[in-house]
Amino acid sequence: MTAAIECAGVSKGFPGVRALDDVSLTVRPGTVHALLGENGAGKSTLIRILTGAERPDTGTVHIGGVPLRQHTPAAARRLGVRVLPQERHVAPDLSVGHNVLLDSLPRTALRTVSARRVQERAQQHLDALGVDLDARARAGDLTAAQQQLVELARTTARPAAVVVLDEPTASLAGDEVTVLFRVVRQLRDAGTALLYISHHLHEVFALADEATVLRNGRLVHRTPVAETDHDSLLRHIFDRDVAHVRLPRRPLPADAPVVLAARQVALPGGHRPLDVEVRAGEVLALSGPAGAGASELAACLAGVRTPAGGRVELGGARLGSRTAAARAGVGFVPADRKRDALLLERAIAENLLVGPAGRGALHRPVAARRTAWAALRAGRVKADDPGRPVRTLSGGNQQRVVFSRWLLAECRVLVLDQPTAGVDVGAKFDIYAQLLDLAAEGVAVVVVSSDYEEICALADRVLVLRDGDLVAEVDGAAATPDGLFALETAPTPEETAA
Ligand SMILES: Nc1ncnc2c1ncn2[C@@H]1O[C@H](COP(=O)(O)OP(=O)(O)OP(=O)(O)O)[C@@H](O)[C@H]1O
Ligand SMILES: [Mg+2]
């Protein structure tokens, strides 16, 4: 059978790095092939070459037996290649429907066909996929997870020979992951070849037929999934043992003062305003499906969003603007790092230091570089030179820059929305350990996460949200992944009463 994807001897260098070194890969039609490797291993670079976004230095790519001669996205699309890229690309001002059909309609049709017809057609596709979204909604108003589903619908709006998914679940939670898995299996059964990148190995075992591991740009392992296990894959990915340590829990002192408080804060869709207090040294987790209000509440607590009603207080005083919050020592790691947290064209060093404590350092380039080198040496960001634009870092390393910024800034409160999205398993445990260290030093930490394991590893207390209301409060020590899932999906008091 002709391979759906066949790349042979592919190499690609960037200044200072050999991103890919003589990589050959074959994917058969009707199979799911997992592409694994730590942050910076070369996964996205290989994807960009397969999808025509980047030209290899050497090597060839064949799609369905036909050579990809012109290395352009249009040429790859003509051969039937579709990609869901690592970073979100919805057009915020267009409707969901227009975004879904963006690649399927001729450009002129988007202007000449009535909005209603576009949206009707897109709605049919969304319904067929089982994606619960309104095609008429404005895409920019959706959460990161919902935008991800819009992009999934766009990627699958037309039949494809090859579908490439670069970390599709990085910002998805329970039900949305179920939708994604169903779509992947539908495509596979229809004969599409899928290349699937993920840092979540359980997804590999649930979906993939074969797995390939890249390390430092080289292909180091290839195996049928049925013939391997979790630990073996981890060893190939990291070439060292990754600690599965149960992180030590320290009891929260009974007299820890309240640092941050939401008073009568109203969330979109909620029936009752919320009161939330966070104490010094506490890790508070906010859990809930997309649209539940966890991200909104976190943004209010971080002072980057003004609540529709009520107020947020830091140390008893009302939290003002975003800049005032940052100056008062409130750090924020947003879910969409590329849009909200990084200056992509600016140096890694500058991006590490745009936090409040680093403000002065920006005017002292020597000090800035020294601090940045320290962060790089500590292994928190994998890069060879802090002077390079942050855009040239791999996705997971960009996330680590945003996180490290607030470690350098010495904040009083740190609010994080999906702190380990796109981060490899090794670095994830480092981030957990660092967050718990911060808490032990008295920092109040608020974490929004769609990863129940993450919540259970970190939280002193968990608030579960649904449709803008608080539906449960759980002691972190008693929280389990299954228990949180049950709470998120149980009927709300309003639903029970109805
Ligand atoms: N445009 C570029 N300029 C310079 N270096 C680049 C560029 N694009 C990628 N790199 C480098 O190539 C290497 C591989 O990056 P790539 O994005 O392929 O990693 P990845 O495996 O997708 O990692 P992640 O899991 O973090 O997404 C990294 O060292 C990265 O910094
Ligand atoms: Mg990547």
Side-chain angles (χ1 to χ4, degrees):
M1 194 197 284
T2 314
I5 305 175
E6 169 112 59
C7 55
V10 168
S11 295
K12 176 78 186 177
F14 295 108
V17 252
R18 199 152 171 76
L20 289 174
D21 189 357
D22 194 19
V23 171
S24 299
L25 179 80
T26 309
V27 183
R28 289 169 293 126
T31 63
V32 179
H33 196 110
L35 185 60
L36 308 173
E38 64 185 315
N39 292 141
K43 304 177 298 295
S44 295
T45 304
L46 183 60
I47 296 314
R48 285 201 292 271
I49 287 172
L50 285 175
T51 56
E54 200 109 56
R55 168 184 296 278
D57 297 338
T58 58
T60 55
V61 175
H62 286 74
I63 304 294
V66 182
L68 183 65
R69 288 212 179 78
Q70 278 174 297
H71 293 278
T72 62
R77 259 201 306 276
R78 276 196 297 276
L79 296 180
V81 179
R82 305 277 177 271
V83 61
L84 182 71
Q86 185 165 12
E87 309 292 344
R88 305 285 61 75
H89 293 278
V90 299
D93 293 323
L94 294 184
S95 76
V96 166
H98 285 85
N99 270 285
V100 167
L101 296 182
L102 206 54
D103 294 340
S104 318
L105 291 174
R107 285 291 133 124
T108 47
L110 286 178
R111 265 180 279 115
T112 52
V113 179
S114 79
R116 217 189 55 193
R117 278 192 42 216
V118 170
Q119 286 158 0
E120 274 170 9
R121 217 178 108 188
Q123 191 69 56
Q124 282 170 5
H125 181 54
L126 288 166
D127 294 347
L129 290 180
V131 173
D132 182 18
L133 285 176
D134 184 345
R136 292 165 304 179
R138 181 179 168 276
D141 294 337
L142 303 182
T143 64
Q146 292 168 326
Q147 292 183 355
Q148 175 81 339
L149 293 176
V150 170
E151 291 207 63
L152 178 67
R154 180 198 298 167
T155 311
T156 55
R158 274 173 52 189
V162 170
V163 168
V164 178
L165 303 165
D166 194 348
E167 295 190 32
T169 55
S171 57
L172 300 185
D175 280 358
E176 302 139 8
V177 175
T178 312
V179 171
L180 176 87
F181 278 23
R182 198 174 53 231
V183 172
V184 166
R185 293 189 178 113
Q186 274 171 13
L187 290 168
R188 178 200 59 198
D189 295 344
T192 299
L194 291 112
L195 194 55
Y196 188 97
I197 298 184
S198 180
H199 291 295
H200 303 292
L201 292 185
H202 62 93
E203 295 173 3
V204 175
F205 289 98
L207 287 177
D209 302 292
E210 286 181 286
T212 288
V213 178
L214 297 180
R215 197 193 312 138
N216 294 326
R218 285 171 169 274
L219 194 158
V220 294
H221 186 57
R222 177 180 178 145
T223 178
V225 169
E227 292 170 21
T228 188
D229 59 35
H230 188 273
D231 288 350
S232 162
L233 284 180
L234 273 186
R235 269 196 304 278
H236 286 290
I237 292 171
F238 291 101
D239 197 25
R240 60 184 155 85
D241 284 327
V242 178
H244 265 295
V245 286
R246 183 92 197 133
L247 296 159
R249 299 205 79 91
R250 79 254 106 71
L252 186 65
D255 57 352
V258 171
V259 182
L260 188 68
R263 310 255 180 238
Q264 293 291 297
V265 161
L267 294 175
H271 297 80
R272 296 168 299 272
L274 267 74
D275 282 307
V276 177
E277 295 190 332
V278 198
R279 298 197 282 154
E282 182 179 31
V283 182
L284 175 70
L286 306 177
S287 178
S295 290
E296 289 79 2
L297 178 57
C300 293
L301 286 170
V304 301
R305 177 187 173 119
T306 313
R311 61 207 224 120
V312 173
E313 291 171 0
L314 176 72
R318 190 188 189 116
L319 197 59
S321 68
R322 182 177 191 142
T323 29
R327 212 174 297 130
V330 182
F332 183 49
V333 175
D336 192 339
R337 60 184 172 249
K338 206 167 174 177
R339 191 188 62 195
D340 299 331
L342 289 170
L343 306 165
L344 286 171
E345 298 303 324
R346 306 290 275 274
I348 297 165
E350 276 186 66
N351 273 281
L352 279 167
L353 292 164
V354 290
R359 197 175 298 279
L362 268 187
H363 305 295
R364 287 179 283 122
V366 178
R369 282 209 154 223
R370 199 176 318 121
T371 320
W373 270 117
L376 262 49
R377 255 198 312 275
R380 291 201 288 261
V381 177
K382 200 179 132 196
D384 63 334
D385 177 1
R388 278 192 207 297
V390 85
R391 160 180 62 76
T392 66
L393 289 178
S394 76
N397 278 298
Q398 292 181 10
Q399 178 73 7
R400 297 196 214 175
V401 168
V402 181
F403 178 73
S404 301
R405 170 189 301 165
W406 296 109
L407 290 183
L408 297 171
E410 295 177 4
C411 39
R412 286 168 75 190
V413 171
L414 184 55
V415 181
L416 312 100
D417 196 346
Q418 311 293 354
T420 60
V423 167
D424 67 46
V425 190
K428 194 160 161 170
F429 283 103
D430 290 344
I431 289 183
Y432 293 169
Q434 283 158 1
L435 280 176
L436 291 175
D437 280 350
L438 284 181
E441 288 163 18
V443 176
V445 179
V446 179
V447 180
V448 177
S449 178
S450 52
D451 180 343
Y452 301 130
E453 306 273 351
E454 177 160 298
I455 290 178
C456 295
L458 290 173
D460 292 303
R461 195 158 54 98
V462 188
L463 302 183
V464 181
L465 296 156
R466 276 277 293 285
D467 300 329
D469 284 317
L470 178 64
V471 291
E473 176 166 345
V474 187
D475 179 9
T480 62
D482 290 348
L484 291 176
F485 178 72
L487 285 171
E488 281 187 13
T489 46
T492 60
E494 279 72 22
E495 283 164 1
T496 315

